[in-house]
Amino acid sequence: FSRLKTFEIQDINPTLGLGQIKVSGEVWSAKTSSDVIIPKDTEVIIKSIDGVKAVVELADEKVNVYF
């Protein structure tokens, strides 16, 4: 799975298991592997897919592919 840059449409909260991103017009459930809450509208990168959730991290400015 290639690294894609996208924006969150809902806070990603690992404690509550909540989070959503929008990719190519589709809404995906999302989570992060860290314990940090990532606020809505933060730019993130999809690292992988775990079941039905995208695993994301904060975006690195070196990735310029938007969906």
Side-chain angles (χ1 to χ4, degrees), residues 15-35:
T15 304
L16 298 176
L18 300 175
Q20 290 185 325
I21 58 173
K22 188 175 261 190
V23 182
S24 299
E26 294 183 18
V27 176
W28 281 68
S29 293
K31 66 180 185 176
T32 181
S33 56
S34 71
D35 293 333

Side-chain angles (χ1 to χ4, degrees), residues 2 6 8 12 14 18-20 26 37 40 45 47 52-53 63-66:
S2 61
T6 187
E8 295 180 63
I12 294 180
L18 300 175
Q20 290 185 325
E26 294 183 18
I37 295 173
K40 179 181 175 181
I45 296 172
K47 291 177 32 175
V52 296
K53 289 192 176 193
V63 178
N64 294 317
V65 179
Y66 289 90

Side-chain angles (χ1 to χ4, degrees), residues 1-13 19-23 28-34 36-48 54-61 63-67:
F1 193 84
S2 61
R3 292 165 56 103
L4 303 175
K5 189 183 276 190
T6 187
F7 288 91
E8 295 180 63
I9 61 170
Q10 179 188 43
D11 291 353
I12 294 180
N13 186 323
Q20 290 185 325
I21 58 173
K22 188 175 261 190
V23 182
W28 281 68
S29 293
K31 66 180 185 176
T32 181
S33 56
S34 71
V36 176
I37 295 173
I38 304 175
K40 179 181 175 181
D41 297 325
T42 301
E43 196 170 27
V44 294
I45 296 172
I46 301 172
K47 291 177 32 175
S48 62
V55 180
V56 300
E57 64 183 19
L58 292 173
D60 177 18
E61 293 182 24
V63 178
N64 294 317
V65 179
Y66 289 90
F67 287 88

